[in-house]
Amino acid sequence: MTISPIDLSEYRVDVQRAKQGVRLSDWPTKAGDKEKRDETEQETAELQNQLSEWQEKLYAEGQQSLLLILQARDAGGKDSTVKHVLAGVNPQGIIVTSFKVPSDIEQKHDFLWRVHPHAPATGMMAVFNRSHYEEVLVTRVHGQVSGGQAQHHFAHIRAFEALLHDKGTRILKVYLHISPEEQKERLLERVQKPEKHWKFNIGDLDERAHWKDYTRYYQEMMEATSTDIAPWYVIPADQKWYRDRLISQLLVDTLAEMNPQFPAGDFDPSQVVIDDTDSD
Amino acid sequence: MTISPIDLSEYRVDVQRAKQGVRLSDWPTKAGDKEKRDETEQETAELQNQLSEWQEKLYAEGQQSLLLILQARDAGGKDSTVKHVLAGVNPQGIIVTSFKVPSDIEQKHDFLWRVHPHAPATGMMAVFNRSHYEEVLVTRVHGQVSGGQAQHHFAHIRAFEALLHDKGTRILKVYLHISPEEQKERLLERVQKPEKHWKFNIGDLDERAHWKDYTRYYQEMMEATSTDIAPWYVIPADQKWYRDRLISQLLVDTLAEMNPQFPAGDFDPSQVVIDDTDSD
């Protein structure tokens, strides 16, 4: 099928835009046309086929890697994005790391110490479900990291991401943009459906009460860390089916730009002889 | 659809059988009925749906884990099994580790040192594509590990696997059983198809020449390490579609036995109130 490509640059926080100041309210939380949901889902399926093919080449080539960083408010759809966009990719070529509250040992180190080991090896795709960015978000909301400290953190993050980039890692950073109404619905669903109880954390309600603080710190974070090599994307995420469509295309477009190729063999096929052998 | 379950015990090297001595030639490398290929592939697809559902419960429960160890001769189908059986599983819940020739640093440690960090956390599925078993296979064929040393290694492996088992890890060990004719065909395919050149390693031909040695050491390995808690399965693997059917069922049956459940919430749903909040 033919896919009508969507201009994803409108969701990108490019450097110019970051300099002018980021306002999350400039981006929609909903952008899909309900009438076209079926068609959109078919496009997503086709994009995911393309994603699998690119992933195989990325792995075979073994020279570059792709890192997708997912950040969102609670119930913003991080887990769901991983499941719906990336199930289907050969699990041998992708590693998803979920970053939780830092452990005692992790807190005894700089904030990138626990992150660095999970950077993707050449040939691999990696997903960070939450990331080093928590250190300039939840910590700021709760006053554990000051504005001055955050500036240092931002500088460390830019340097860290530049280091990965220099090793051939393409970095995509996605903020899943949901409305407070959508978050409420999703949290209610977790409360009401027994099979979703395990996802409900009563503490999420305290974080929800800090909605505006989070908005502020997300904005500052994007202003300070949207770079040419690692831009943020503000992806409308109230409609999961449209979110999946956009992120699938973002991955496919990026891999197409990276353009990994099956490497040539280091042997002369005409000279290879494979003998028969006896069984047992 | 209804699936006619296959009796997988005939492929299991149970302890009794291991004691009597293992002969790979007692097992078929081909067991699927060609006439039923379509039907079999539909069953595999349905089993993979069940696998995804069980995986979600395993992750949600967070109390147990599943480790699948894949061993095979070159071109035995390890990568292909991962791709065809496990793509579709949420990548957040599965980590595949491919063990290559040990690095300089790894060689300075005991042979389980590099393996242990990749044991699955509770809630997770892990796949070892090759494993600690290489240390009693390729090394023996090339005389780097003696029969006496191998006995020590076997004891260490049994103890290691018992350790994982005690933490709630179910261990499945699969030998992908192919014939020398099938290996030849697959190696030829790698030589002939440019997009498969990257998978061809000229050294594989030297290993092929040691076919009988490998057979001998695989057998000894199974005799020494097939235990009640971590049995080997000799899975006919000449027909990829039948191999995938068997391994899919093996995973589903095992998870059904483990029977993970969505945990109850630690809150009273009737007491939860979610306030509205202002945007921005």
Side-chain angles (χ1 to χ4, degrees):
Chain A
M1 71 181 286
T2 345
I3 291 171
S4 23
I6 294 169
D7 180 8
L8 294 173
S9 70
E10 61 177 298
Y11 301 114
R12 188 169 58 223
V13 184
D14 54 34
V15 175
Q16 199 52 39
R17 197 154 184 177
K19 271 188 196 153
Q20 289 160 358
V22 171
R23 285 180 56 89
L24 284 183
S25 56
D26 290 344
W27 280 278
T29 58
K30 223 179 239 171
D33 179 351
K34 259 188 180 175
E35 304 286 307
K36 293 189 181 164
R37 178 168 172 169
D38 283 353
E39 192 184 322
T40 303
E41 286 176 343
Q42 284 168 31
E43 290 186 342
T44 304
E46 170 55 25
L47 284 164
Q48 287 172 352
N49 290 338
Q50 296 178 17
L51 179 59
S52 285
E53 284 166 24
W54 279 118
Q55 181 275 325
E56 191 174 0
K57 288 186 182 176
L58 183 77
Y59 188 86
E61 183 194 68
Q63 299 295 324
Q64 311 174 74
S65 59
L66 179 60
L67 170 60
L68 172 66
I69 296 176
L70 292 175
Q71 286 287 157
R73 301 172 196 262
D74 296 313
K78 299 179 299 298
D79 293 350
S80 158
T81 297
V82 170
K83 181 174 172 180
H84 292 106
V85 175
L86 296 163
V89 170
N90 185 341
Q92 187 151 301
I94 186 167
I95 298 186
V96 181
T97 307
S98 300
F99 291 96
K100 312 285 182 188
V101 176
S103 70
D104 286 354
I105 291 176
E106 287 167 350
Q107 286 182 1
K108 291 181 183 174
H109 293 270
D110 71 80
F111 74 106
L112 297 173
W113 179 82
R114 68 170 183 156
V115 176
H116 210 153
H118 301 283
T122 48
M124 294 292 293
M125 290 177 61
V127 180
F128 289 175
N129 182 336
R130 302 185 189 271
S131 67
H132 40 291
Y133 285 101
E134 290 297 323
E135 203 66 19
V136 291
L137 290 166
V138 60
T139 52
R140 292 200 72 189
V141 169
H142 296 287
Q144 294 148 350
V145 165
S146 69
Q149 284 173 311
Q151 292 307 320
H152 282 275
H153 281 359
F154 291 145
H156 294 310
I157 288 174
R158 288 190 299 263
F160 175 61
E161 292 178 354
L163 173 70
L164 303 189
H165 179 81
D166 270 358
K167 180 63 185 174
T169 304
R170 276 292 289 264
I171 303 172
L172 295 171
K173 302 186 294 202
V174 167
Y175 169 66
L176 300 169
H177 191 29
I178 58 166
S179 64
E181 296 75 27
E182 179 66 19
Q183 187 190 51
K184 182 174 178 176
E185 260 184 51
R186 292 186 188 177
L187 291 175
L188 275 175
E189 202 190 358
R190 292 181 179 182
V191 171
Q192 285 158 359
K193 290 193 179 167
E195 76 276 17
K196 297 219 167 186
H197 281 180
W198 67 282
K199 300 206 85 178
F200 183 74
N201 179 347
I202 199 88
D204 291 354
L205 300 185
D206 301 328
E207 300 308 312
R208 178 173 164 81
H210 291 289
W211 190 273
K212 288 183 185 179
D213 295 332
Y214 273 102
T215 300
R216 175 181 162 199
Y217 296 125
Y218 265 112
Q219 290 174 169
E220 283 188 26
M221 172 197 86
M222 289 180 197
E223 289 166 5
T225 61
S226 250
T227 58
D228 286 329
I229 59 163
W232 279 99
Y233 287 82
V234 179
I235 297 290
D238 277 359
Q239 297 159 307
K240 295 180 180 179
W241 54 274
Y242 198 69
R243 168 202 73 192
D244 294 343
R245 166 71 179 76
L246 293 177
I247 297 175
S248 298
Q249 189 190 315
L250 179 60
L251 292 167
V252 169
D253 287 356
T254 303
L255 282 160
E257 253 183 65
M258 294 165 71
N259 198 24
Q261 297 296 323
F262 289 115
D266 53 357
F267 59 93
D268 175 354
S270 67
Q271 298 298 309
V272 175
V273 178
I274 303 180
D275 292 325
D276 287 330
T277 182
D278 293 332
S279 192
D280 293 337
Chain B
M1 73 179 287
T2 346
I3 291 172
S4 26
I6 293 169
D7 181 8
L8 294 173
S9 70
E10 61 178 297
Y11 301 113
R12 187 167 61 224
V13 184
D14 55 32
V15 176
Q16 199 52 40
R17 198 152 183 178
K19 271 187 197 154
Q20 289 161 359
V22 171
R23 287 180 55 90
L24 284 183
S25 57
D26 290 346
W27 280 278
T29 58
K30 224 180 240 174
D33 179 351
K34 260 189 178 172
E35 304 287 308
K36 293 189 181 162
R37 179 167 170 169
D38 284 353
E39 191 186 323
T40 303
E41 286 177 340
Q42 284 169 31
E43 289 186 343
T44 304
E46 169 55 26
L47 285 164
Q48 287 172 351
N49 289 339
Q50 295 178 19
L51 178 57
S52 285
E53 285 167 23
W54 279 119
Q55 181 275 325
E56 190 174 0
K57 287 185 182 177
L58 183 76
Y59 188 85
E61 183 194 69
Q63 299 294 324
Q64 310 174 75
S65 59
L66 179 60
L67 169 60
L68 172 66
I69 296 175
L70 292 176
Q71 286 288 157
R73 301 173 197 260
D74 296 313
K78 298 179 298 300
D79 293 351
S80 158
T81 298
V82 170
K83 180 173 173 182
H84 292 106
V85 175
L86 296 164
V89 170
N90 185 340
Q92 186 150 301
I94 186 166
I95 298 185
V96 181
T97 307
S98 300
F99 291 96
K100 312 284 180 188
V101 176
S103 70
D104 286 355
I105 291 176
E106 287 168 350
Q107 285 181 1
K108 291 181 182 174
H109 293 270
D110 69 82
F111 75 106
L112 297 173
W113 179 82
R114 67 171 184 154
V115 177
H116 210 155
H118 301 283
T122 49
M124 295 293 292
M125 288 177 61
V127 180
F128 289 174
N129 182 338
R130 303 186 189 269
S131 66
H132 41 290
Y133 285 101
E134 289 297 323
E135 203 65 17
V136 290
L137 289 166
V138 61
T139 52
R140 293 201 70 189
V141 169
H142 296 286
Q144 294 147 348
V145 164
S146 68
Q149 285 172 309
Q151 292 307 318
H152 282 274
H153 281 358
F154 292 144
H156 294 311
I157 288 174
R158 288 189 300 263
F160 175 60
E161 292 179 353
L163 173 70
L164 303 188
H165 179 82
D166 270 358
K167 180 63 184 176
T169 304
R170 276 291 290 262
I171 303 171
L172 295 171
K173 302 186 295 203
V174 167
Y175 170 67
L176 300 170
H177 190 28
I178 59 166
S179 64
E181 297 76 29
E182 178 67 20
Q183 187 190 52
K184 182 174 179 178
E185 261 184 50
R186 293 185 188 178
L187 291 175
L188 277 174
E189 202 189 358
R190 291 180 180 182
V191 170
Q192 287 158 358
K193 292 192 179 171
E195 76 276 17
K196 298 218 168 185
H197 281 180
W198 67 283
K199 300 206 85 177
F200 182 73
N201 181 345
I202 199 87
D204 290 356
L205 300 185
D206 300 327
E207 300 309 312
R208 177 173 164 82
H210 291 287
W211 188 274
K212 288 183 185 179
D213 294 333
Y214 273 102
T215 300
R216 174 182 163 197
Y217 297 125
Y218 265 113
Q219 291 173 169
E220 283 188 24
M221 173 197 85
M222 290 180 196
E223 288 166 5
T225 62
S226 251
T227 57
D228 287 328
I229 59 162
W232 279 100
Y233 287 82
V234 179
I235 296 291
D238 278 358
Q239 298 158 306
K240 294 181 179 178
W241 54 275
Y242 198 69
R243 167 203 75 192
D244 294 343
R245 166 70 180 75
L246 293 176
I247 297 176
S248 298
Q249 188 190 318
L250 179 59
L251 291 167
V252 169
D253 287 358
T254 302
L255 282 160
E257 251 183 68
M258 294 164 71
N259 197 25
Q261 296 297 321
F262 289 116
D266 53 357
F267 59 94
D268 176 354
S270 67
Q271 297 299 308
V272 175
V273 179
I274 303 180
D275 293 326
D276 286 330
T277 183
D278 294 333
S279 192
D280 294 337

